[in-house]
Amino acid sequence: VQHKGEVLSVALSSDRKLLVTGQGKSVFVWQVHNGAKIVELRQHEDLVRGVSVTDTGHRIASGSKDCTVVVWDTVNGSALFILKGHTSVVRAVHITGAAVLSCSSDKT
């Protein structure tokens, strides 16, 4: 897997078929077996600092320096939700089938 810039976050699906990375303002989804890029997801206005993928691989969460968390549908590449509760950089995210967790420099 080759990026054009610094990679700040990475997550692996539980079945080890998908690799999700955050680079620049984008989230990338890759096939592990051959390193092929499946999709580049763009919604953030600043650096992506954290990514997470559900066990099924159908949803991704990404957190950014733009203070938002985006929940993505990996099947069609769309942003399902843009969460705007943080007032500082989102440092890490975790997504399950039922919840999205995030932590930020705003101490939440």
Side-chain angles (χ1 to χ4, degrees):
V1 174
Q2 184 66 41
H3 289 83
K4 295 180 181 177
E6 182 179 22
V7 177
L8 297 177
S9 54
V10 63
L12 183 65
S13 63
S14 62
D15 63 6
R16 296 186 170 104
K17 291 182 180 180
L18 298 178
L19 180 70
V20 179
T21 58
Q23 189 267 312
K25 299 177 185 178
S26 297
V27 175
F28 294 89
V29 182
W30 309 85
Q31 292 178 347
V32 170
H33 75 279
N34 64 7
K37 180 171 63 175
I38 297 170
V39 67
E40 178 180 357
L41 305 170
R42 297 181 190 162
Q43 180 66 47
H44 288 291
E45 296 177 8
D46 210 329
L47 296 175
V48 174
R49 299 296 308 239
V51 294
S52 179
V53 60
T54 59
D55 288 341
T56 64
H58 293 140
R59 299 284 186 270
I60 291 170
S62 58
S64 171
K65 194 174 176 183
D66 67 8
C67 309
T68 67
V69 174
V70 178
V71 177
W72 304 91
D73 180 329
T74 59
V75 175
N76 64 24
S78 66
L80 297 173
F81 305 101
I82 302 170
L83 308 173
K84 298 182 177 183
H86 289 293
T87 58
S88 190
V89 177
V90 177
R91 298 284 180 184
V93 293
H94 181 75
I95 188 168
T96 67
V100 178
L101 307 172
S102 61
C103 62
S104 169
S105 294
D106 66 10
K107 302 179 183 172
T108 64

